[in-house]
Amino acid sequence: QQSSEDFKQVAMFSCACCKAEEDDRHTPDVAQVKQDVSDQKPLPPPQEPVAPPPTAEPKKEVVAPPAKEKKAPKGPDKKELAKQSVVLQKKGDEAFAQQDWTTALQMYSEAVEKNPENAPAWAGRGGVKVRIGNPAEALSDLDEAIRLDRDNLFAWRDRAEARSKTGDFVGALADFDHKLSLAPADGRALVGRGELKFKQGDKDGAIADFQLAARLTYPGASQWLERAKQA
């Protein structure tokens, strides 16, 4: 009976030892656990979500303002040019009176360049061209003078002479008639018309014009009168 009791105690001890050994197998070694933990790499700290960079606004194209055009310096105005034209025209008239045709032609040309509406300058230049033997060139100047001023006496007379010398006898006679209707005492126009009539066979008409010119003591009128009377 004691042996049976001892056997139970031995069996119970044996079971206890086996259970303890089993527990030891399942219980992790603290030192080993610490070692394993120390061998593990630390996890990185959690990162906060990074907001996407703000979208850059498209750059506005900078347009440079248009460069200001440099205005050309203003020259003399129309009134000033007209005044200068008159001064040049008067110098032309002085040279014309002295029969300095070169200077007169230059002054009149500069005058019409300054002011194309200067009728006396056109007439003066046309008159010079008639006297230096360029009647065909004179016609355009004299036409312009008459267009600008239909009362320009010199333009009518000189155009009549230019027409006569270029063979336009009908036009020339009309211009002489118009000129003498405006200024009957123009000896040069009377002689010019008298010559034209004489060439066309109008002897009586030529003598009448030469007589009037002779009374005005126009140079050469008396000689033309004697020639017409003797024809």
Side-chain angles (χ1 to χ4, degrees):
Q1 195 176 10
Q2 186 175 3
S3 298
S4 176
E5 190 68 30
D6 291 337
F7 177 79
K8 290 181 180 179
Q9 291 181 356
V10 170
M12 292 175 61
F13 178 78
S14 178
C15 290
C17 288
C18 290
K19 187 175 182 304
E21 186 177 351
E22 183 71 17
D23 291 340
D24 289 340
R25 282 201 301 267
H26 292 284
T27 303
D29 185 9
V30 174
Q32 184 65 35
V33 170
K34 290 182 178 180
Q35 181 65 33
D36 292 341
V37 171
S38 64
D39 290 341
Q40 293 179 359
K41 293 182 179 180
L43 295 176
Q47 296 183 354
E48 296 182 359
V50 180
T55 304
E57 294 183 2
K59 292 183 178 180
K60 295 182 179 179
E61 185 178 355
V62 179
V63 180
K68 294 182 178 180
E69 295 183 1
K70 293 183 179 180
K71 295 182 178 179
K74 291 184 178 180
D77 58 18
K78 192 173 181 179
K79 290 182 178 180
E80 180 61 27
L81 290 173
K83 290 179 181 179
Q84 295 176 10
S85 178
V86 171
V87 172
L88 291 166
Q89 174 226 315
K90 288 182 177 180
K91 290 181 179 180
D93 293 342
E94 293 174 0
F96 191 106
Q98 297 172 4
Q99 297 186 6
D100 181 358
W101 307 127
T102 300
T103 301
L105 189 64
Q106 180 181 352
M107 293 297 101
Y108 288 137
S109 295
E110 291 182 12
V112 297
E113 184 177 351
K114 294 283 186 182
N115 179 21
E117 297 181 1
N118 188 336
W122 286 107
R125 191 170 76 170
V128 171
K129 291 178 180 179
V130 170
R131 285 157 182 78
I132 63 177
N134 293 326
E137 292 184 12
L139 285 172
S140 59
D141 287 350
L142 297 167
D143 286 343
E144 185 65 13
I146 292 172
R147 185 189 69 82
L148 293 169
D149 180 12
R150 293 192 62 81
D151 293 331
N152 191 299
L153 303 180
F154 298 106
W156 284 105
R157 184 192 64 198
D158 288 343
R159 192 175 74 169
E161 292 186 17
R163 283 179 166 179
S164 177
K165 291 179 180 180
T166 55
D168 182 7
F169 301 130
V170 175
L173 188 59
D175 282 351
F176 277 129
D177 288 342
H178 184 77
K179 167 62 173 69
L180 290 168
S181 69
L182 299 174
D186 186 335
R188 185 183 179 94
L190 287 167
V191 170
R193 189 173 70 173
E195 290 180 22
L196 189 58
K197 290 179 178 180
F198 185 74
K199 290 177 182 178
Q200 291 179 323
D202 183 3
K203 181 178 177 180
D204 292 338
I207 291 175
D209 284 343
F210 293 145
Q211 285 176 336
L212 288 173
R215 290 174 189 170
L216 295 170
T217 65
Y218 183 79
S222 298
Q223 289 83 350
W224 270 106
L225 179 59
E226 290 302 320
R227 181 180 174 182
K229 286 180 178 180
Q230 294 174 7

